[in-house]
């Protein structure tokens, strides 16, 4: 569920959620980091801005930045933070 925080409205959006994990080095220690993202039709989320939210699998994620459109302008990738 996508929530436009400023408008106070919510809508169901179909898409693909990916919460990829990777190991990053911090000094001499490896730390597991996640980089959640959501890919969907751009028209479904064209008004999304930073700090709007997505509720996915009972976890609320905030939009972490601008929407990334593909080369056709039809698909959007949204970087999320939890």
């Amino acid at each position: 569920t996508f929530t436009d925080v400023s408008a106070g409205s919510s809508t169901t959006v179909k898409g693909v959620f990916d919460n990829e994990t990777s190991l990053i080095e911090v000094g001499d220690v490896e730390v597991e980091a996640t980089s959640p993202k959501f890919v969907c039709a751009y028209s479904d989320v064209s008004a999304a801005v930073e700090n709007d939210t997505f509720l996915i699998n009972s976890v609320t994620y905030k939009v972490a930045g601008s929407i990334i459109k593909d080369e056709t302008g039809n698909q959007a990738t949204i970087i999320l933070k939890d």
Side-chain angles (χ1 to χ4, degrees), residues 26-60:
V26 179
D28 293 335
V29 179
E30 285 189 338
V31 178
E32 186 175 71
T34 61
S35 55
K37 63 185 172 186
F38 187 74
V39 179
C40 61
Y42 176 75
S43 59
D44 291 341
V45 294
S46 60
V49 295
E50 192 167 355
N51 292 321
D52 283 345
T53 62
F54 282 84
L55 180 63
I56 302 170
N57 299 327
S58 301
V59 177
T60 300

Side-chain angles (χ1 to χ4, degrees), residues 52-75:
D52 283 345
T53 62
F54 282 84
L55 180 63
I56 302 170
N57 299 327
S58 301
V59 177
T60 300
Y61 297 90
K62 289 186 176 184
V63 175
S66 301
I67 298 172
I68 303 165
K69 290 195 289 186
D70 72 351
E71 59 277 353
T72 67
N74 296 323
Q75 185 172 316

